[in-house]
Each structure stands twice: as C-alpha cells, then as structure tokens.
C-alpha cells in the first residue's frame, strides 16, 4: 500500500503501464523506489487513474513462473482510490494494527 502520483500512462499490448512517483509507502513487503511502473492487466482504463492525480494504491508484486518478469501489478480486485488526508489517516491507523 502506498500513496503515489501518476506521471504517465502508456498502453503496452493488452495492458496499461503507469509511471508512478511513490510519495509515501505505508505497508510493503517488497522494496519500492521513488519511481515505479504499475501495471494494470487491461486497456479499458479500469481503474480510472488520471495523469497528475494522487492515489492510494494497493498493488501486489507479480513474478512469472520462469522468474523473468518482476513487476507491480494492480489487479481487478486491487485498491485504487483518490488520495485524501482522510485516506492517509485511515491507512496509518490500520498499519498500527496489522
């Protein structure tokens, strides 16, 4: 879970790749760098992430069977909400309990 700002969007094959500036990592099981690519396995614009917008993102690390692909994937059941101070407060409170 991290707060990020969408810098760019690009369609790559049947997927969408977002370039994201990682602002605040709240809870992560793998290291995040200041800029990451977040992949969405569709091109329909779901979830609707707009360039320049800040979001609270819950994504997962995806490593394929051959271990040749390692990326951050925002799946259909993932969490992507516009960031607000309230969202930040709720995540910090939840992090204390998890």
């Amino acid at each position: 879970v991290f707060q990020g700002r969408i810098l760019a969007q690009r369609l790559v094959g049947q997927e969408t790749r977002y370039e994201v500036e990682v602002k605040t990592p709240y809870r992560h099981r793998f290291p995040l760098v200041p800029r990451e690519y977040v992949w969405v396995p569709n091109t329909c614009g779901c979830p609707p992430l707009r360039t320049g917008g800040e979001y609270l993102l819950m994504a997962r690390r995806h490593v394929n069977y051959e271990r040749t692909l390692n990326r951050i994937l925002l799946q259909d059941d993932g969490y992507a909400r516009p960031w607000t101070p309230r969202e930040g407060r709720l995540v910090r409170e939840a992090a204390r309990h998890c």
Side-chain angles (χ1 to χ4, degrees):
V1 177
F2 63 94
Q3 174 194 355
R5 184 169 61 96
I6 307 298
L7 301 175
Q9 172 186 349
R10 181 173 183 209
L11 299 179
V12 179
Q14 297 297 314
E15 298 178 304
T16 306
R17 183 185 78 185
Y18 292 97
E19 184 178 351
V20 179
E21 175 187 359
V22 177
K23 294 221 169 223
T24 308
Y26 290 105
R27 181 152 172 92
H28 51 91
R29 295 180 184 200
F30 50 91
L32 293 171
V33 294
R35 287 205 176 172
E36 291 281 2
Y37 286 123
V38 175
W39 293 83
V40 177
N42 62 53
T43 57
C44 71
C46 305
L49 303 176
R50 63 178 174 78
T51 302
E54 289 192 22
Y55 296 90
L56 185 64
L57 301 168
M58 182 177 70
R60 61 184 300 175
R61 182 174 163 212
H62 172 253
V63 179
N64 68 350
Y65 180 73
E66 295 86 15
R67 298 203 179 273
T68 58
L69 184 64
N70 183 353
R71 61 190 185 164
I72 299 173
L73 185 65
L74 182 60
Q75 296 177 308
D76 294 336
D77 61 348
Y79 187 84
R81 297 196 53 165
W83 186 88
T84 63
R86 179 181 180 274
E87 290 289 333
R89 188 183 81 242
L90 291 173
V91 171
R92 282 191 301 276
E93 289 173 4
R96 285 186 228 143
H97 301 295
C98 297

